Amino acid sequence: MGADSLAWLFGPGTERAQKLRMRRFFISVGSYSLWFLATLAATGLGLLELSGSSLVLAGVLLVASQLVFYAAFRTGFNLKFSEPSLTLPQMVVGIVWGLVLVAVAPQIRGYVLMAVIVTLLFGIFALKRQRFVQLAALAFLGYLGVVAFEIVTGSSSYSPAYHAISVGTFAVVVVWTTLFGAYVSAIRHRLSVRNEELEVALAHNQRLAERDDLTGLYNRRFLTDVLVRERARADRNGQPLSIAIIDLDRFKQINDRYGHSTGDRVLRNFADYIVSELRTMDYVGHAEEGRDPDSAFGRYGGEEFMLVLPETGLDDAHRCLDRLRSGLDRMTADPQAPPHVTLSAGIAQFASGESVESLLRRADQALYDAKDGGRNRICLAA
């Protein structure tokens, strides 16, 4: 079967999960086909007494039942259900067809009952314990009904003792399968819960590794990693790269006068202000906002912050920082205690072949120049 035929069977643009469900469905269709062929062979060899019309009717109904599932998968109708794989209804259909074959082909009843058990095992890794028990009850009660019908109508050549043994044996196997399935289902549920807890823990640890506790911004380690990646990319493609080291002026005086809690609020408010302003300028923001993680603003240490601006030259970086500086008048730490804050910043542009340490050193020196020049200003590195 060619690629075009497969695309037609699965449907154009079908997502990966849906394709996987359809593959499993085709495996199920293959199993039905094998059992139907085995029934035809047994009839041809005289092992079963089935008329041609009965076989044709069974084949038509079998194909129709599978076309319903195929249409559901092909059109995406299965996605409307809580369990898009439709495992439960497929298993119900499989068990029902097995019971039908048990009723019409008593000569091969033992083989067919094994297929019913296999169908039950198929649901161990897909269904919850309650559903699995219900399917097992359906299989046993269905077989018990077939046997009871044969005994009442006298249509079976087997003795009551044979029926009692077969029903008892099937009951034992079904109970064992149910207990095993329930056990595996419980394990699967516990593993699922633990996996979810592990994902939450990993996400939390990832955030702790990348984020500053106070401001929620990127921390120094993450900023350094970003800078290393951006430096390599800028050196490779020749695009400009600028960084700015930003410092809040006279921040120690805020802590001394208003207390460290107010100082913490100043830092948080400053971080929120910068992020919101950068977002309006189409620069960077928090990673959770879906921004490029290689463009980053974060807390470099204490009251110092760093802004990494890929594909940005000195002039554009200076305009960006000057707008941030001039807008600080609108920011306060607390309505009851609104200390006025200003910023000083040093900007450096990456020079081809320059190391990260050299780039940081030049930006830091530019920051000191801004401080020495009177603060509340932006200086560019030589």
Side-chain angles (χ1 to χ4, degrees):
M1 183 176 291
D4 293 339
S5 300
L6 286 175
W8 185 88
L9 282 173
F10 286 99
T14 304
E15 63 174 0
R16 182 177 180 182
Q18 192 74 337
K19 287 182 178 179
L20 179 59
R21 296 181 189 114
M22 293 191 73
R23 288 192 185 98
R24 292 172 178 171
F25 163 72
F26 285 128
I27 293 175
S28 175
V29 170
S31 300
Y32 283 118
S33 301
L34 289 176
W35 276 102
F36 188 72
L37 291 175
T39 303
L40 290 177
T43 304
L45 294 173
L47 300 177
L48 294 178
E49 297 179 359
L50 294 176
S51 64
S53 59
S54 298
L55 289 173
V56 170
L57 178 61
V60 170
L61 293 177
L62 181 61
V63 171
S65 66
Q66 298 310 296
L67 284 177
V68 171
F69 287 112
Y70 175 72
F73 288 121
R74 178 65 186 272
T75 61
F77 183 75
N78 62 304
L79 299 176
K80 298 180 181 293
F81 297 89
S82 58
E83 204 273 299
S85 295
L86 302 180
T87 303
L88 180 62
Q90 288 193 83
M91 290 182 63
V92 169
V93 170
I95 291 173
V96 169
W97 274 116
L99 293 174
V100 170
L101 192 55
V102 164
V104 301
Q107 297 90 336
I108 58 172
R109 178 167 295 178
Y111 304 106
V112 178
L113 289 178
M114 286 193 297
V116 173
I117 295 299
V118 170
T119 303
L120 285 175
L121 291 174
F122 181 75
I124 287 179
F125 299 102
L127 299 177
K128 294 182 179 180
R129 178 169 51 188
Q130 181 180 3
R131 294 297 188 190
F132 189 83
V133 171
Q134 291 172 349
L135 285 172
L138 171 65
F140 174 73
L141 294 176
Y143 179 59
L144 185 62
V146 170
V147 172
F149 177 80
E150 292 177 344
I151 293 175
V152 170
T153 60
S155 59
S156 175
S157 58
Y158 297 110
S159 65
Y162 172 85
H163 282 308
I165 293 175
S166 70
V167 170
T169 303
F170 188 65
V172 171
V173 175
V174 168
V175 169
W176 181 90
T177 306
T178 302
L179 293 176
F180 177 72
Y183 174 72
V184 174
S185 178
I187 293 177
R188 182 172 56 85
H189 176 70
R190 288 197 297 269
L191 288 176
S192 177
V193 171
R194 290 180 181 177
N195 285 337
E196 292 177 359
E197 293 174 347
L198 180 59
E199 288 179 0
V200 172
L202 288 176
H204 179 67
N205 290 337
Q206 181 70 19
R207 181 176 177 83
L208 290 178
E210 296 180 352
R211 296 286 171 170
D212 171 60
D213 290 337
L214 178 63
T215 63
L217 298 173
Y218 291 125
N219 59 24
R220 181 169 185 155
R221 174 185 295 179
F222 184 82
L223 290 171
T224 303
D225 292 342
V226 169
L227 192 52
V228 169
R229 293 196 301 269
E230 286 302 318
R231 179 260 178 204
R233 186 162 65 176
D235 207 25
R236 184 172 59 251
N237 59 26
Q239 294 290 334
L241 165 66
S242 296
I243 67 167
I245 298 180
I246 306 167
D247 184 84
L248 292 182
D249 297 325
R250 298 184 175 89
F251 182 74
K252 184 177 183 301
Q253 295 179 10
I254 295 176
N255 277 333
D256 293 341
R257 181 177 178 182
Y258 297 100
H260 288 281
S261 60
T262 298
D264 289 346
R265 287 198 295 273
V266 169
L267 292 175
R268 286 193 295 266
N269 288 355
F270 176 75
D272 293 340
Y273 159 74
I274 296 293
V275 168
S276 63
E277 288 295 309
L278 290 173
R279 188 180 298 118
T280 63
M281 289 186 285
D282 197 27
Y283 277 95
V284 301
H286 290 274
E288 288 82 1
E289 301 293 337
R291 301 280 176 166
D292 180 2
D294 288 340
S295 299
F297 170 66
R299 190 179 181 192
Y300 195 55
E303 66 272 20
E304 285 191 351
F305 298 81
M306 180 190 290
L307 176 59
V308 182
L309 295 171
E311 301 182 10
T312 305
L314 275 179
D315 292 340
D316 289 335
H318 183 272
R319 280 192 290 271
C320 171
L321 268 296
D322 196 54
R323 173 175 166 178
L324 298 175
R325 183 195 60 79
S326 62
L328 271 181
D329 289 336
R330 301 190 301 271
M331 193 204 80
T332 60
D334 189 318
Q336 284 73 40
H340 178 67
V341 293
T342 61
L343 68 80
S344 298
I347 304 175
Q349 180 175 339
F350 170 70
S352 179
E354 184 179 20
S355 66
V356 169
E357 291 77 11
S358 173
L359 180 62
L360 288 171
R361 187 166 54 250
R362 291 196 298 116
D364 201 45
Q365 183 58 53
L367 172 62
Y368 280 116
D369 293 341
K371 293 282 191 181
D372 292 340
R375 296 184 174 85
N376 192 22
R377 65 183 60 222
I378 312 297
C379 282
L380 304 180

